[in-house]
Amino acid sequence: MTAYPAWTPASRPGIVPLHPYGFGTILARSFVALRHNPKVLLGFALVVQAVAYILVTVAIGGVAIASFSRLDTVAPGSDEFDAITAGSVALTGITALVLGVLSGALGVIVQGVVVAEVAHAVVSEKPTLRAVWGRVRPVFWRLIGYSALTIGVVVIVVGVLAGIVTLLVIAATWVGALVGVLFFLALIPLYLWLTPKLFLVPSVIILEQAPVFRAIARSWQLTRGRFWSTLGVIVVISMAFGLVAQVISIPLSLVSGLVPAIIAPTGDSDVSTVIGFIALQVVGQFGILLVQCIALVVQSTSAVLVYVDARMRVEALDHDLQSYVEARDAGSGDLSDPYLVGVGRIVERPAPVPFGATPAFAGYGPPAGTAGYAAPAGYGPPSAGGYAPAPQGYAPPQGPAVPQVPTSGATTEPSPPAVDRSPTTWAAPGSSEDA
């Protein structure tokens, strides 16, 4: 008796199909990921960003109050007043810079969690935050190192250019202003060129467990030939969420300017006026913070999808992912990470067929001993433009008839009448010629 394998249901679809996809798919599916696992994606990002924003605001405000409150102890306009003012501004600025860097590090952690979760969502898995963090934790310091490296390079470049402009302004004001404008304009295309090239670095660090500089080189390699599509994804998402943030902030700023006049028309700043103003500012900042969190999640998701699409096209990652999904759904255990199976593998593509040449089918080739295929029946000799059709009425030459010799005991059948191949004139049935 023949044993048939047990029936297994079809594999669950992920947030993207397991084959290479285009610009529209990457852009659309980047928003779909939010609905796949909102607790891990949006919830974690919102909590981390909100905590970072509150801590940074409180710390900067505390340092500013502590430093500027010393101005009450000295006479305005004195040398000590000017020195305390300059020191307070510098101290507050340094505090804001350091805390901003630390807040950016927290943003990198959020991006790492999003990358790990979306990698699971591609193969239709919905992990918990603990499982996602287990994938990010081994490369946590690499993410921090990459963030510190990028911030350090930006600070050095901007500092050097600012120093050059300052020296030129001291020497000649108009020359320094002109050079400063040229430097600013030159930084825009540089930023637009480097951002797509380094867009996949966090994805490579997390999914391939690569060191920082190898991840930079890998991102540069995977985005080769995909520069404009990657830049388009970045620009569209940034502009869309920037517009949404402006839509939220502009009305709130207008309302916040009218609230004091509405609550206290006489100009008395009582407690209710202050509380109303603070509450309105908190609501507005929370709305902007929510938009920023969604933008960070969507942009991080698009980076993972660009990474997966690039590896599908170059390294056939789609086959590894499909094999993993089928084996997992069939009940196999102890499966290898599909994102580590074919790292760096180059899949050979068939050579392009020249224009006008006959494509060769798999497993078939031209007849042995010939340079090509023979002309189709009914066509004349080749000409400059190819095989020319034979003239009307032309019939291929017939070879000499071979007489059939009957064998012993066999009877010969009469040959069928010859078919007249001369051209005839067609007439409708029932006409005089058909009679």
Side-chain angles (χ1 to χ4, degrees):
M1 182 176 180
T2 304
Y4 293 95
W7 177 84
T8 56
S11 300
R12 303 184 304 271
I15 61 171
V16 288
L18 296 182
H19 60 73
Y21 24 82
F23 175 81
T25 303
I26 294 175
L27 198 60
R29 298 291 178 167
S30 299
F31 293 87
V32 173
L34 280 171
R35 296 182 299 173
H36 179 262
N37 200 353
K39 184 184 296 184
V40 173
L41 292 178
L42 187 58
F44 178 77
L46 186 59
V47 170
V48 172
Q49 294 290 84
V51 170
Y53 179 79
I54 293 173
L55 293 178
V56 169
T57 304
V58 171
I60 294 176
V63 170
I65 292 173
S67 58
F68 282 100
S69 61
R70 297 175 56 193
L71 295 175
D72 297 334
T73 60
V74 296
S78 61
D79 295 339
E80 293 181 357
F81 186 90
D82 296 338
I84 293 175
T85 301
S88 300
V89 171
L91 183 60
T92 305
I94 293 174
T95 303
L97 178 61
V98 173
L99 294 178
V101 171
L102 295 178
S103 177
L106 291 177
V108 171
I109 296 174
V110 173
Q111 188 176 5
V113 170
V114 173
V115 168
E117 201 284 331
V118 174
H120 285 281
V122 169
V123 290
S124 187
E125 293 177 351
K126 195 173 182 179
T128 61
L129 181 59
R130 182 186 298 272
V132 171
W133 178 249
R135 190 163 195 162
V136 177
R137 186 176 60 246
V139 294
F140 170 76
W141 290 110
R142 296 178 185 178
L143 292 173
I144 298 298
Y146 173 68
S147 177
L149 178 64
T150 53
I151 293 174
V153 171
V154 170
V155 170
I156 291 173
V157 171
V158 173
V160 169
L161 296 180
I164 294 174
V165 172
T166 302
L167 294 176
L168 292 176
V169 168
I170 294 174
T173 303
W174 67 272
V175 174
L178 178 61
V179 172
V181 172
L182 293 178
F183 279 164
F184 176 77
L185 295 177
L187 288 177
I188 295 176
L190 180 63
Y191 172 80
L192 294 177
W193 179 65
L194 288 177
T195 301
K197 295 291 186 180
L198 305 177
F199 191 51
L200 308 183
V201 173
S203 302
V204 175
I205 291 176
I206 295 172
L207 300 182
E208 300 182 12
Q209 301 178 1
V212 174
F213 291 101
R214 187 186 303 174
I216 293 174
R218 179 91 165 126
S219 175
W220 205 283
Q221 176 188 6
L222 289 175
T223 53
R224 188 176 302 160
R226 297 168 185 82
F227 173 82
W228 292 110
S229 60
T230 306
L231 179 62
V233 169
I234 297 172
V235 171
V236 170
I237 293 177
S238 300
M239 292 182 63
F241 284 101
L243 180 61
V244 173
Q246 292 297 322
V247 169
I248 295 175
S249 62
I250 291 176
L252 286 175
S253 62
L254 295 176
V255 172
S256 63
L258 297 176
V259 165
I262 296 174
I263 297 178
T266 59
D268 297 333
S269 57
D270 53 0
V271 178
S272 61
T273 305
V274 174
I275 293 176
F277 180 77
I278 294 176
L280 187 62
Q281 292 296 323
V282 169
V283 172
Q285 291 301 320
F286 180 79
I288 295 175
L289 183 64
L290 179 61
V291 172
Q292 291 175 350
C293 290
I294 297 176
L296 179 61
V297 171
V298 172
Q299 195 161 13
S300 302
T301 302
S302 66
V304 183
L305 298 184
V306 171
Y307 166 83
V308 173
D309 176 65
R311 287 196 59 188
M312 283 181 177
R313 297 177 183 273
V314 178
E315 302 173 357
L317 178 63
D318 47 343
H319 297 284
D320 298 329
L321 297 177
Q322 187 66 43
S323 300
Y324 171 83
V325 170
E326 292 176 354
R328 180 202 62 198
D329 293 347
S332 300
D334 194 18
L335 297 174
S336 301
D337 188 349
Y339 294 99
L340 297 176
V341 172
V343 175
R345 175 180 59 194
I346 302 298
V347 178
E348 295 291 339
R349 296 178 178 270
V353 180
F355 178 76
T358 304
F361 296 94
Y364 294 89
T370 60
Y373 291 97
Y379 283 76
S383 61
Y387 287 96
Q392 185 177 6
Y394 170 80
Q398 302 291 334
V402 179
Q404 298 180 356
V405 179
T407 59
S408 60
T411 60
T412 60
E413 296 292 338
S415 301
V419 179
D420 186 10
R421 297 181 180 275
S422 59
T424 58
T425 302
W426 179 85
S431 62
S432 60
E433 294 185 6
D434 193 45

